[in-house]
Amino acid sequence: MGQVKAALVQEDLRVRVVRRRVRTGSRELTIVRPEPPLRCVALYRQNDDEWRMSVDRPDGRRLAALFLLAARSSHSLIHLPTRSAALAPAFDDEHEVPFDLVLAPRALQFRPGHWKRVRQLASSRANSGSVTSVSPPLADLPEPGPEMPLGLWPYQYRELMARQQREQPSNWQRPPRIQDQIQAETLFLTGDPMDYRAAARDLVDLTVYGPPHAQVGHFIPGGCYYHICRDLGPWDGAHVEYAPSWAH
């Protein structure tokens, strides 16, 4: 079977969001959430020190759009209430805990310790916010990553990536690492615009090469004939894997 990639078009990066303004003391913040929430983006903490994220093609691309939006919106928090998302395939309730995700641009200098109060204010019935549609331009994405061959087991994929890094180090130079913090059942990823754009590129690559992989074997989450995953940009703390849509 030939590899038919799921090409990306501008409309794939369109996502509806609701913007809510919150005032804490003398400071006003803008909280941006996808509306409706992304049902096929799941984030789990594993064994206290590892993270697993699962995305399907449509919501994986919308998530990439939100990373690009974070790169352009240095004074807004991007909040994804992923704790309420449908459980991803192979969810392990003994070792995995659902978490929300917040993209907190470094320029904002937001302290996660304030998040519980900010979230409460943003979720107030009196704070209806304004709904709009955003679609960051494709030009915001860095150049595509290396091709992802079909039919690789996870260890073969890791070996391939390691070899490509040795042979083409200039293609694998990463911007500064994204910093992660935990507060109130929420994972905060703090970074600069280039960090978020790199993460968006990896998410898009995952959704480009994931669907054709899903055509060559039965789906077994976490490691299968077409298992396909990436680290998330300059933050290597999460194993992000493609999965066929699991919620409707």
Side-chain angles (χ1 to χ4, degrees):
M1 176 185 298
Q3 181 166 342
V4 180
K5 296 181 289 186
L8 178 75
V9 297
Q10 181 63 57
E11 189 62 23
D12 292 333
L13 296 182
R14 184 173 302 280
V15 56
R16 283 170 53 86
V17 299
V18 57
R19 300 177 188 269
R20 294 183 172 93
R21 297 188 184 278
V22 170
R23 180 170 293 279
T24 56
S26 60
R27 190 180 192 188
E28 186 175 80
L29 295 170
T30 299
I31 314 300
V32 179
R33 292 175 179 162
E35 179 62 36
L38 307 185
R39 289 184 53 77
C40 286
V41 173
L43 175 66
Y44 303 122
R45 191 181 186 188
Q46 298 178 304
N47 304 319
D48 294 333
D49 59 355
E50 297 179 356
W51 297 89
R52 176 169 77 93
M53 179 180 285
S54 296
V55 300
D56 73 349
R57 178 185 171 186
D59 280 351
R61 293 182 174 186
R62 295 184 186 109
L63 177 60
L66 292 171
F67 270 88
L68 293 177
L69 181 62
R72 284 175 164 260
S73 307
S74 60
H75 299 292
S76 299
L77 293 174
I78 312 295
H79 175 214
L80 289 94
T82 43
R83 280 185 299 158
S84 61
L87 295 178
F91 171 70
D92 182 352
D93 60 358
E94 292 186 6
H95 301 99
E96 296 186 325
V97 180
F99 266 70
D100 284 352
L101 175 65
V102 167
L103 307 181
R106 187 168 282 117
L108 188 59
Q109 297 184 337
F110 179 76
R111 296 182 180 180
H114 296 162
W115 173 241
K116 192 171 184 178
R117 176 58 176 163
V118 169
R119 181 176 61 191
Q120 182 183 36
L121 292 172
S123 301
S124 168
R125 291 184 179 179
N127 193 345
S128 58
S130 59
V131 178
T132 187
S133 180
V134 297
S135 182
L138 289 172
D140 281 7
L141 287 168
E143 290 299 312
E147 291 278 328
M148 295 182 175
L150 292 175
L152 295 185
W153 288 89
Y155 78 90
Q156 294 173 315
Y157 171 72
R158 289 193 293 269
E159 291 174 353
L160 173 65
M161 294 299 102
R163 185 172 71 251
Q164 290 179 339
Q165 290 183 50
R166 291 193 303 270
E167 296 174 352
Q168 300 173 316
S170 62
N171 292 339
W172 290 86
Q173 292 177 354
R174 290 294 196 182
R177 281 179 55 91
I178 287 176
Q179 297 176 336
D180 57 82
Q181 292 178 271
I182 297 172
Q183 187 70 37
E185 300 176 296
T186 303
L187 172 66
F188 283 80
L189 297 183
T190 300
D192 294 315
M194 63 191 310
D195 300 327
Y196 293 140
R197 292 188 186 108
R201 178 75 262 178
D202 282 334
L203 286 166
V204 165
D205 286 349
L206 203 60
T207 67
V208 167
Y209 293 100
H213 281 239
Q215 298 173 9
V216 302
H218 294 291
F219 178 59
I220 306 175
C224 59
Y225 186 62
Y226 67 87
H227 179 77
I228 181 168
C229 61
R230 277 286 177 101
D231 291 333
L232 195 58
W235 180 54
D236 59 5
H239 177 82
V240 187
E241 65 181 24
Y242 170 82
S245 299
W246 65 86
H248 302 284

